[in-house]
Structure formats: C-alpha cells, structure tokens
C-alpha cells in the first residue's frame, strides 16, 4: 500500500474526529462557555453547513493549484480551526473555530479522493479511495466515545488539542509522503484533469455526473433518515436502555468500516453492479429494520448491516462521479456536498414522520423509501453508461 494513502487516511481520521467528537462533549462545552444546549448544538449544525459550502468554494478557488499542496493547505486550515476551538475564550471564537475546521472537510475528501486513486493502478482506484475514507469510518466508531472519555478525564479543550496534534501529524505525512504531482491525472483514465474553473464547471453538463450526485444524496438521505433518530428507535421501540445506545452506535460504526472495505473492492470489479447491490441492500435492510425494530437481537444485527450497506456505495460513487466529470476535482467535492444535502433531507423527512405521529420506527421506512429512489436513479445511470459503451441492445424499429 502506498505510504501516501496512509497519510491521507490519517487526515481523514482527524477530520472525522472533529466532526463526531463534539456530540460527546456538548454538555461540557455548554457549561464551560456558559451557553445553552441549543447554542452548543449550533456547533454541530454550523459545522455541517460549512462543510457543504466549503466543499464547493475552496475546491473552485484552488482549481489551478497542485493538488498535493492544496491538501497541505486544507489540513493546515483544519489545524488552525481546531487550535481556535482548543483556545476559545468564548462561544464566538469556538463557533469560528468549528467553521474554519469544517471548511476544509468537503474539499479534503473530494480532492483527496483524486490524489488517492492516482497513487495506485486503475483497477484498484475504488479501493484506494476506500483506504482514504477508512480514517473517516474509524473516526465514526471512535469519535463520540473519544470525545466523552478525553473530555471527562482532562476537560473538553484537551480533546481539541488531541485532534490538533493529529492534524499536525497528517500535515507532515502529506508533505513527506504524497508525490508532488499526485492527482494531476487521476489514474491514467484521463489525459489531463481539468483545472480551470470554467472547464470544471463544464463537467456538470454531463447527465451522468448529475445522476451520480442525485444517487449519492439519496443514498445518504436513506441512511440518515433512519440514523438521525436511531437512539429513539432503540430505546422507545427496541427496549434498550439509554446506556446501551453508545455500544449500539459502535456496532453501526464497525459496519461502516466493513462496508467501506467491501464496497471499494466490489466497485473495482464491477462498479455499477456493486452500487446497485449496495443501494438495494440498504433498502432491504431499512425495511427489515422497520419490521423488526421491536426485537433486540434483530436490532443489533440490522444496525450493523445498516452501516455496511449505507457506506458500501461511497468509494464507488466518488470514482464514478469523477470519471464522469473527466477527473474534475469540483465534481468530487460536489459529491461530498451532495451527501450532506442528503443527510439534511433524510433527517428532515424522518422528523416529519415522527411529528406526524407515525412512531419512532417510521424514520426507518422513510429511509427505505429514499433508498429505493436511489436504486431507481442508479439503475437509470447504469443503463446510460452501458448504452454509451454499446452494451445495451436498442429496440428494433419497423420500417
């Protein structure tokens, strides 16, 4: 495995920790900064909004710069943001630190995916992207308990100091281990990746780019339509105690890690087929979860499968959208933004279902419906690709 991939994975791990650890620290942060729980909650929602904005804005602004050094700058921004959070004398600086750290998130994973796939042969490109995203999935498993544990023992600021140190290590690793021209042409599939802003926007004329972005948003919407309210499903439907939720979320996180690895390998063999299977699997898992949410044993199995099927499509979607866009970094970052739009959509629709009195299992069915829509969109996209390659027989016309 190229050492540059390890450096990228470390960066992904640090960025993932920044996103997730705050959930385990909110009570301490609220008390330490003398703000309400609602104001502390904006440290999470503000981060998510900044991810969606930064993914497009920073990728566009750095489109002509060498991708290695763009990654270095993004990780430096991440370090500064977490340093601000660690030192924050008040709520305003804390929120500013969260926003600064979030701005690098989408662009790092978008541009980093292009760099990752350029470090390996073409037949391993989705697996390379999966290695980079492995840091994010591991952070999902460890983020909340890490924040809670470190914050309880040494105070909430120490958690941000620890993430700052991880960022410095990732920064040094990328400088030392990622080749200078990595990502300039992703994997030999494209003679030269577009760098000009106008050229990159031109990539969005492709119907395949838009179909992939929509499928990405819907796949995340399906998963997060259910996951956003999964704690209530566990406690109010499954009969678990509030103390059980943390280890159940770790089971889900382990599923994310497995899905990332399996999805990357499967996408390198037959990408569109792998994506269709992953999305169909997510639909079936969510439906089964809705039906069996009252069973404790089934809930443990199904929350693991939710992680597996929910993340198995991620490496393939990233490589698919960048292939369709001719290697444009803006398309890769737009894919990250699409996932955040999907997260918000799924959470909103799931909340509407609960608010309508349909019960705490209803977000699972909402997620299944969104995921089924992603299967249909992906089927249209896959058929379009096969037709372009001459693999679909056109119907005969009588004359």
């Amino acid at each position: 495995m190229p050492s540059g991939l390890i450096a990228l994975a470390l960066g992904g791990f640090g960025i993932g920790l920044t996103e997730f650890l705050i959930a385990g620290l909110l009570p301490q942060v609220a008390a330490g900064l003398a703000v309400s729980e609602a104001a502390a909650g904006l440290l999470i929602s503000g981060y998510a909004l900044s991810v969606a904005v930064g993914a497009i804005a920073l990728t566009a602004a750095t489109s002509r710069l060498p991708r290695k050094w763009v990654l270095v700058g993004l990780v430096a921004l991440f370090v500064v943001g977490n340093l601000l959070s660690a030192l924050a004398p008040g709520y305003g600086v804390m929120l500013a630190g969260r926003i600064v750290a979030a701005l690098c998130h989408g662009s790092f994973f978008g541009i980093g995916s292009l760099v990752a796939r350029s470090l390996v042969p073409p037949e391993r490109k989705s697996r390379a992207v999966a290695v980079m995203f492995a840091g994010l999935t591991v952070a999902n498993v460890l983020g909340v308990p890490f924040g809670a544990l470190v914050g309880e023992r040494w105070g909430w600021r120490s958690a941000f100091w620890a993430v700052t140190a991880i960022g410095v290590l990732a920064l040094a690793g990328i400088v030392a281990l990622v080749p200078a021209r990595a990502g300039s042409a992703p994997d030999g599939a494209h003679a030269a990746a577009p760098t000009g802003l106008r050229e990159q926007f031109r990539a969005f004329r492709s119907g395949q780019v838009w179909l992939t972005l929509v499928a990405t948003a819907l796949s995340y919407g399906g998963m997060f339509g259910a996951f956003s309210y999964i704690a209530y499903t566990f406690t109010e439907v499954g009969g678990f105690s509030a103390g059980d939720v943390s280890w159940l979320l770790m089971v889900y996180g382990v599923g994310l890690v497995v899905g990332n690895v399996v999805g990357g390998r499967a996408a390198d063999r037959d990408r569109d087929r792998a994506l269709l299977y992953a999305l169909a699997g997510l639909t079936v898992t969510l439906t089964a979860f809705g039906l069996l949410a009252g069973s404790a044993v089934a809930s443990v199995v199904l929350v693991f499968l939710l992680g597996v099927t929910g993340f198995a499509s991620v490496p393939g979607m990233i490589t698919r959208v960048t292939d369709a866009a001719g290697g444009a970094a803006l398309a890769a970052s737009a894919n990250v933004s699409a996932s955040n739009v999907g997260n918000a959509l799924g959470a909103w629709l799931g909340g509407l279902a609960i608010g309508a009195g349909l019960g705490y299992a209803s977000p699972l069915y909402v997620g299944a419906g969104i995921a089924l829509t992603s299967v249909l969109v992906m089927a249209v996209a896959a058929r379009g690709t096969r037709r372009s390659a001459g693999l679909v027989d056109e119907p005969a016309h009588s004359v």
Side-chain angles (χ1 to χ4, degrees):
M1 179 187 301
S3 54
L5 285 179
I6 303 301
L8 293 174
L10 182 59
F13 176 66
I15 291 173
L17 276 184
T18 297
E19 179 178 16
F20 300 121
L21 65 79
I22 189 68
L25 294 171
L26 274 187
Q28 295 182 47
V29 172
L33 298 177
V35 297
S36 67
E37 289 82 356
L42 289 177
L43 299 174
I44 295 177
S45 56
Y47 185 98
L49 180 61
S50 299
V51 169
V53 173
I56 301 299
L58 287 184
T59 303
T62 59
S63 61
R64 291 190 178 276
L65 301 177
R67 286 173 178 164
K68 170 181 175 172
W69 297 110
V70 171
L71 289 177
V72 169
L74 291 172
V75 178
L77 196 65
F78 163 80
V79 169
V80 170
N82 280 283
L83 190 59
L84 282 174
S85 296
L87 295 170
Y91 178 76
V93 176
M94 180 69 179
L95 182 59
R98 292 289 291 168
I99 291 172
V100 169
L103 288 174
C104 79
H105 183 126
S107 292
F108 179 86
F109 285 108
I111 296 171
S113 67
L114 295 174
V115 172
R117 58 184 283 177
S118 75
L119 300 177
V120 299
E123 65 273 12
R124 297 179 63 88
K125 60 188 178 185
S126 293
R127 274 172 281 187
V129 171
V131 169
M132 186 192 71
F133 273 93
L136 178 64
T137 57
V138 171
N140 197 299
V141 178
L142 299 178
V144 174
F146 172 85
L149 177 64
V150 173
E152 181 181 345
R153 293 196 174 188
W154 297 291
W156 63 267
R157 293 182 188 275
S158 61
F160 288 99
W161 279 113
V163 175
T164 300
I166 292 171
V168 172
L169 289 176
L171 183 66
I174 292 170
V175 170
L177 302 175
V178 173
R181 293 187 57 79
S184 57
D187 54 11
H190 314 106
T195 56
L197 194 54
R198 182 176 297 178
E199 292 176 297
Q200 296 214 46
F201 274 114
R202 193 175 294 128
F204 289 90
R205 295 178 180 176
S206 166
Q208 286 293 330
V209 168
W210 284 106
L211 286 169
T212 308
L213 292 175
V214 171
T216 294
L218 291 172
S219 66
Y220 272 85
M223 179 168 62
F224 278 90
F227 182 73
S228 297
Y229 306 96
I230 201 71
Y232 295 106
T233 306
F234 286 142
T235 57
E236 303 298 326
V237 183
F240 291 97
S241 70
D244 289 325
V245 172
S246 59
W247 69 261
L248 286 165
L249 293 180
M250 291 191 72
V251 171
Y252 166 78
V254 172
L256 294 179
V257 175
V258 173
N260 181 54
V261 174
V262 172
R265 289 181 177 275
D268 279 334
R269 289 194 292 270
D270 188 334
R271 184 169 58 199
D272 282 359
R273 186 185 297 273
L275 290 173
L276 284 168
Y277 283 164
L279 298 175
L282 177 61
T283 304
V284 171
T285 297
L286 288 166
T287 303
F289 207 163
L291 294 171
L292 301 173
S295 165
V297 173
S299 293
V300 174
V301 174
L302 288 166
V303 77
F304 170 76
L305 292 177
L306 176 61
V308 173
T309 57
F311 216 84
S313 63
V314 172
M317 287 293 191
I318 285 278
T319 57
R320 192 180 203 281
V321 78
T322 48
D323 279 349
L330 196 58
S333 295
N335 200 68
V336 179
S337 291
S339 68
N340 280 270
V341 170
N343 293 352
L345 173 68
W348 176 62
L349 293 176
L352 287 181
I354 292 174
L358 299 179
Y360 287 111
S362 61
L364 293 163
Y365 294 113
V366 169
I370 299 172
L372 178 60
T373 307
S374 74
V375 175
L376 299 177
V377 172
M378 190 63 230
V380 172
R383 182 173 176 82
T385 298
R386 288 175 61 82
R387 182 182 292 114
S388 298
L391 299 176
V392 177
D393 293 331
E394 298 293 339
H397 299 282
S398 56
V399 291

